[in-house]
Amino acid sequence: MGEILALVEARLLTTLGEPDARAAVTFLGTDRIEVLRFVDGDVVRYATLGMSAQPMADPTATLADPVKGPRAELILSVRAGLADTDKVLRPLAVLAASPQVEGVIVTPGASLEVGEPLWPGAPFSSVLVAEPGGLVEDLKTDAPMEPVRFLPLLPMTHNEAAWKRVRGAQELQERWLSHGTDLRDPLRGSVNLD
């Protein structure tokens, strides 16, 4: 699967430029997950590398298919210099390892929870998985493998995460849009949910 990761890394570098830092995390019983940091003006982007090495499998399947199944990497974009967002590396690696560890299939509209602030002082401990294709295009692979999708992550406050569970991802995204919420602000408060 090293070939897949080389192609994924090449796609990230072509789209986002050279990373100015990278860190690697290995959890017991999982493949290594790297997190690459890209700086683009006043925006810092963190992208996982390693989640797509294996396809995500249905946790109820008796045997995971080593080739077929969805593949993805995660991307988080935040404004630079407002918070110590580099501490998000480990939580991002935890989220990227969740398909291997917990049998989770990460798809747009899903909520992912890390159980602690994404970085020190962050009002977020969970993220909403957004639709792919906007920032980094899907990476086509040879059949029968599915394309690698680059899924943006949108940090959610506790109130937003609870509201999303009741109303759904679409309504939360519409609420953010109608209120002009800066989803890249690492210190933002919860959007008005009344």
Short mmCIF file of all heavy atoms in Angstrom, two decimals, residues 33-70:
data_model
loop_
_atom_site.label_atom_id
_atom_site.label_comp_id
_atom_site.label_asym_id
_atom_site.label_seq_id
_atom_site.Cartn_x
_atom_site.Cartn_y
_atom_site.Cartn_z
N ILE A 33 0.30 6.76 10.88
CA ILE A 33 -0.44 7.90 10.34
C ILE A 33 0.46 9.13 10.44
O ILE A 33 0.98 9.42 11.51
CB ILE A 33 -1.74 8.17 11.13
CG1 ILE A 33 -2.65 6.95 11.17
CG2 ILE A 33 -2.46 9.41 10.59
CD1 ILE A 33 -3.37 6.63 9.88
N GLU A 34 0.64 9.81 9.33
CA GLU A 34 1.38 11.07 9.36
C GLU A 34 0.40 12.22 9.24
O GLU A 34 -0.68 12.08 8.66
CB GLU A 34 2.37 11.15 8.19
CG GLU A 34 3.59 10.28 8.36
CD GLU A 34 4.63 10.59 7.29
OE1 GLU A 34 5.42 11.53 7.48
OE2 GLU A 34 4.61 9.89 6.26
N VAL A 35 0.77 13.37 9.80
CA VAL A 35 0.01 14.59 9.62
C VAL A 35 0.98 15.63 9.06
O VAL A 35 2.02 15.89 9.65
CB VAL A 35 -0.62 15.09 10.93
CG1 VAL A 35 -1.40 16.37 10.68
CG2 VAL A 35 -1.53 14.02 11.53
N LEU A 36 0.64 16.17 7.89
CA LEU A 36 1.47 17.16 7.22
C LEU A 36 0.85 18.54 7.44
O LEU A 36 -0.37 18.69 7.42
CB LEU A 36 1.54 16.89 5.71
CG LEU A 36 2.42 15.72 5.24
CD1 LEU A 36 1.98 14.41 5.82
CD2 LEU A 36 2.43 15.64 3.74
N ARG A 37 1.72 19.54 7.66
CA ARG A 37 1.24 20.92 7.85
C ARG A 37 1.65 21.77 6.66
O ARG A 37 2.82 21.78 6.27
CB ARG A 37 1.81 21.51 9.14
CG ARG A 37 1.28 22.92 9.42
CD ARG A 37 1.85 23.49 10.67
NE ARG A 37 3.25 23.80 10.45
CZ ARG A 37 4.08 24.21 11.40
NH1 ARG A 37 3.66 24.33 12.64
NH2 ARG A 37 5.33 24.48 11.12
N PHE A 38 0.67 22.48 6.11
CA PHE A 38 0.90 23.37 4.98
C PHE A 38 0.47 24.78 5.38
O PHE A 38 -0.62 24.95 5.93
CB PHE A 38 0.07 22.93 3.76
CG PHE A 38 0.35 21.54 3.30
CD1 PHE A 38 -0.35 20.46 3.83
CD2 PHE A 38 1.29 21.28 2.32
CE1 PHE A 38 -0.12 19.16 3.40
CE2 PHE A 38 1.54 19.99 1.88
CZ PHE A 38 0.83 18.93 2.42
N VAL A 39 1.30 25.76 5.12
CA VAL A 39 0.94 27.15 5.43
C VAL A 39 0.66 27.86 4.12
O VAL A 39 1.45 27.82 3.18
CB VAL A 39 2.08 27.86 6.20
CG1 VAL A 39 1.72 29.32 6.45
CG2 VAL A 39 2.36 27.15 7.51
N ASP A 40 -0.52 28.50 4.05
CA ASP A 40 -0.94 29.23 2.86
C ASP A 40 -1.42 30.61 3.31
O ASP A 40 -2.60 30.79 3.64
CB ASP A 40 -2.06 28.46 2.15
CG ASP A 40 -2.54 29.15 0.88
OD1 ASP A 40 -1.86 30.07 0.39
OD2 ASP A 40 -3.62 28.77 0.38
N GLY A 41 -0.50 31.57 3.37
CA GLY A 41 -0.84 32.90 3.86
C GLY A 41 -1.23 32.84 5.32
O GLY A 41 -0.45 32.38 6.16
N ASP A 42 -2.46 33.27 5.64
CA ASP A 42 -2.90 33.25 7.04
C ASP A 42 -3.69 31.99 7.39
O ASP A 42 -4.32 31.92 8.45
CB ASP A 42 -3.73 34.50 7.35
CG ASP A 42 -5.09 34.49 6.66
OD1 ASP A 42 -5.23 33.77 5.64
OD2 ASP A 42 -6.01 35.18 7.13
N VAL A 43 -3.63 30.97 6.53
CA VAL A 43 -4.33 29.71 6.78
C VAL A 43 -3.32 28.58 6.90
O VAL A 43 -2.38 28.48 6.12
CB VAL A 43 -5.33 29.39 5.64
CG1 VAL A 43 -5.97 28.02 5.84
CG2 VAL A 43 -6.40 30.47 5.57
N VAL A 44 -3.52 27.76 7.93
CA VAL A 44 -2.71 26.54 8.11
C VAL A 44 -3.61 25.36 7.81
O VAL A 44 -4.73 25.29 8.30
CB VAL A 44 -2.17 26.44 9.55
CG1 VAL A 44 -1.34 25.19 9.72
CG2 VAL A 44 -1.36 27.66 9.93
N ARG A 45 -3.10 24.43 7.00
CA ARG A 45 -3.86 23.23 6.68
C ARG A 45 -3.09 22.02 7.21
O ARG A 45 -1.89 21.90 7.01
CB ARG A 45 -4.04 23.09 5.17
CG ARG A 45 -4.79 24.24 4.55
CD ARG A 45 -5.08 23.99 3.08
NE ARG A 45 -5.34 25.20 2.35
CZ ARG A 45 -6.44 25.92 2.43
NH1 ARG A 45 -7.40 25.55 3.24
NH2 ARG A 45 -6.59 27.02 1.71
N TYR A 46 -3.83 21.14 7.84
CA TYR A 46 -3.27 19.89 8.35
C TYR A 46 -3.92 18.76 7.55
O TYR A 46 -5.14 18.67 7.48
CB TYR A 46 -3.58 19.72 9.83
CG TYR A 46 -3.03 20.84 10.69
CD1 TYR A 46 -3.81 21.94 11.01
CD2 TYR A 46 -1.73 20.79 11.17
CE1 TYR A 46 -3.31 22.97 11.79
CE2 TYR A 46 -1.21 21.82 11.95
CZ TYR A 46 -2.01 22.90 12.26
OH TYR A 46 -1.51 23.93 13.03
N ALA A 47 -3.10 17.90 6.96
CA ALA A 47 -3.62 16.79 6.15
C ALA A 47 -3.04 15.48 6.65
O ALA A 47 -1.83 15.39 6.92
CB ALA A 47 -3.24 17.00 4.68
N THR A 48 -3.90 14.49 6.78
CA THR A 48 -3.43 13.17 7.21
C THR A 48 -2.85 12.43 6.00
O THR A 48 -3.22 12.69 4.86
CB THR A 48 -4.55 12.33 7.84
OG1 THR A 48 -5.57 12.09 6.86
CG2 THR A 48 -5.13 13.04 9.05
N LEU A 49 -1.95 11.52 6.29
CA LEU A 49 -1.36 10.66 5.26
C LEU A 49 -1.18 9.28 5.89
O LEU A 49 -0.39 9.12 6.82
CB LEU A 49 -0.01 11.21 4.79
CG LEU A 49 0.73 10.40 3.74
CD1 LEU A 49 -0.08 10.31 2.45
CD2 LEU A 49 2.10 11.01 3.46
N GLY A 50 -1.95 8.32 5.43
CA GLY A 50 -1.87 6.96 5.97
C GLY A 50 -3.23 6.33 6.16
O GLY A 50 -3.36 5.10 6.15
N MET A 51 -4.24 7.14 6.34
CA MET A 51 -5.60 6.61 6.51
C MET A 51 -6.05 5.84 5.27
O MET A 51 -6.76 4.83 5.37
CB MET A 51 -6.55 7.78 6.78
CG MET A 51 -7.99 7.42 7.01
SD MET A 51 -8.92 8.93 7.38
CE MET A 51 -10.59 8.31 7.30
N SER A 52 -5.62 6.28 4.10
CA SER A 52 -6.05 5.66 2.84
C SER A 52 -5.25 4.40 2.47
O SER A 52 -5.54 3.78 1.45
CB SER A 52 -5.95 6.67 1.70
OG SER A 52 -4.62 7.10 1.52
N ALA A 53 -4.29 4.02 3.29
CA ALA A 53 -3.50 2.83 2.98
C ALA A 53 -4.36 1.57 2.93
O ALA A 53 -4.11 0.66 2.14
CB ALA A 53 -2.37 2.64 4.01
N GLN A 54 -5.40 1.54 3.76
CA GLN A 54 -6.34 0.41 3.79
C GLN A 54 -7.74 0.93 3.52
O GLN A 54 -8.09 2.02 3.95
CB GLN A 54 -6.33 -0.25 5.18
CG GLN A 54 -4.98 -0.73 5.64
CD GLN A 54 -4.44 -1.86 4.79
OE1 GLN A 54 -5.21 -2.68 4.29
NE2 GLN A 54 -3.14 -1.91 4.62
N PRO A 55 -8.56 0.16 2.81
CA PRO A 55 -9.95 0.60 2.63
C PRO A 55 -10.71 0.52 3.95
O PRO A 55 -10.40 -0.32 4.79
CB PRO A 55 -10.50 -0.40 1.61
CG PRO A 55 -9.63 -1.59 1.72
CD PRO A 55 -8.28 -1.11 2.15
N MET A 56 -11.66 1.42 4.12
CA MET A 56 -12.52 1.36 5.31
C MET A 56 -13.50 0.21 5.11
O MET A 56 -14.04 0.04 4.02
CB MET A 56 -13.24 2.69 5.49
CG MET A 56 -12.31 3.83 5.83
SD MET A 56 -13.15 5.41 6.08
CE MET A 56 -13.13 6.07 4.41
N ALA A 57 -13.71 -0.55 6.18
CA ALA A 57 -14.55 -1.74 6.07
C ALA A 57 -15.73 -1.65 7.02
O ALA A 57 -15.62 -1.07 8.10
CB ALA A 57 -13.72 -2.99 6.38
N ASP A 58 -16.83 -2.25 6.62
CA ASP A 58 -18.01 -2.33 7.46
C ASP A 58 -17.67 -3.15 8.70
O ASP A 58 -17.20 -4.29 8.59
CB ASP A 58 -19.14 -3.02 6.67
CG ASP A 58 -20.43 -3.11 7.44
OD1 ASP A 58 -20.41 -2.98 8.68
OD2 ASP A 58 -21.47 -3.31 6.80
N PRO A 59 -17.87 -2.57 9.90
CA PRO A 59 -17.50 -3.30 11.11
C PRO A 59 -18.30 -4.58 11.33
O PRO A 59 -17.88 -5.45 12.08
CB PRO A 59 -17.77 -2.29 12.24
CG PRO A 59 -18.69 -1.28 11.66
CD PRO A 59 -18.44 -1.26 10.18
N THR A 60 -19.44 -4.73 10.64
CA THR A 60 -20.24 -5.95 10.80
C THR A 60 -19.81 -7.06 9.82
O THR A 60 -20.27 -8.18 9.93
CB THR A 60 -21.74 -5.66 10.59
OG1 THR A 60 -21.93 -5.18 9.26
CG2 THR A 60 -22.23 -4.62 11.60
N ALA A 61 -18.92 -6.72 8.87
CA ALA A 61 -18.46 -7.73 7.91
C ALA A 61 -17.58 -8.74 8.63
O ALA A 61 -16.76 -8.38 9.49
CB ALA A 61 -17.70 -7.07 6.78
N THR A 62 -17.72 -10.00 8.28
CA THR A 62 -16.92 -11.03 8.94
C THR A 62 -15.47 -11.00 8.47
O THR A 62 -14.57 -11.36 9.21
CB THR A 62 -17.51 -12.43 8.68
OG1 THR A 62 -17.66 -12.61 7.27
CG2 THR A 62 -18.84 -12.60 9.37
N LEU A 63 -15.26 -10.54 7.24
CA LEU A 63 -13.90 -10.47 6.70
C LEU A 63 -13.77 -9.18 5.90
O LEU A 63 -14.56 -8.92 4.99
CB LEU A 63 -13.64 -11.69 5.80
CG LEU A 63 -12.21 -11.85 5.26
CD1 LEU A 63 -11.22 -12.02 6.40
CD2 LEU A 63 -12.14 -13.03 4.32
N ALA A 64 -12.78 -8.37 6.25
CA ALA A 64 -12.57 -7.10 5.55
C ALA A 64 -11.88 -7.35 4.21
O ALA A 64 -10.92 -8.12 4.14
CB ALA A 64 -11.73 -6.16 6.40
N ASP A 65 -12.38 -6.73 3.16
CA ASP A 65 -11.77 -6.84 1.84
C ASP A 65 -10.51 -5.98 1.83
O ASP A 65 -10.56 -4.80 2.16
CB ASP A 65 -12.75 -6.35 0.77
CG ASP A 65 -12.27 -6.68 -0.64
OD1 ASP A 65 -11.12 -6.34 -0.97
OD2 ASP A 65 -13.06 -7.27 -1.40
N PRO A 66 -9.35 -6.55 1.46
CA PRO A 66 -8.10 -5.78 1.49
C PRO A 66 -7.97 -4.77 0.35
O PRO A 66 -7.05 -3.94 0.36
CB PRO A 66 -7.02 -6.85 1.39
CG PRO A 66 -7.68 -7.97 0.65
CD PRO A 66 -9.13 -7.93 1.06
N VAL A 67 -8.87 -4.79 -0.64
CA VAL A 67 -8.76 -3.90 -1.79
C VAL A 67 -9.97 -2.99 -1.94
O VAL A 67 -9.84 -1.78 -2.09
CB VAL A 67 -8.55 -4.72 -3.09
CG1 VAL A 67 -8.45 -3.80 -4.29
CG2 VAL A 67 -7.30 -5.58 -2.99
N LYS A 68 -11.17 -3.58 -1.92
CA LYS A 68 -12.39 -2.80 -2.14
C LYS A 68 -12.80 -2.06 -0.87
O LYS A 68 -12.58 -2.54 0.23
CB LYS A 68 -13.53 -3.71 -2.60
CG LYS A 68 -13.30 -4.32 -3.96
CD LYS A 68 -14.47 -5.20 -4.33
CE LYS A 68 -14.23 -5.88 -5.66
NZ LYS A 68 -15.28 -6.85 -5.97
N GLY A 69 -13.46 -0.93 -1.09
CA GLY A 69 -13.96 -0.15 0.03
C GLY A 69 -13.50 1.30 -0.09
O GLY A 69 -12.53 1.59 -0.78
N PRO A 70 -14.20 2.20 0.58
CA PRO A 70 -13.84 3.62 0.50
C PRO A 70 -12.49 3.91 1.16
O PRO A 70 -12.13 3.27 2.14
CB PRO A 70 -14.98 4.32 1.24
CG PRO A 70 -15.65 3.28 2.05
CD PRO A 70 -15.37 1.96 1.43
#
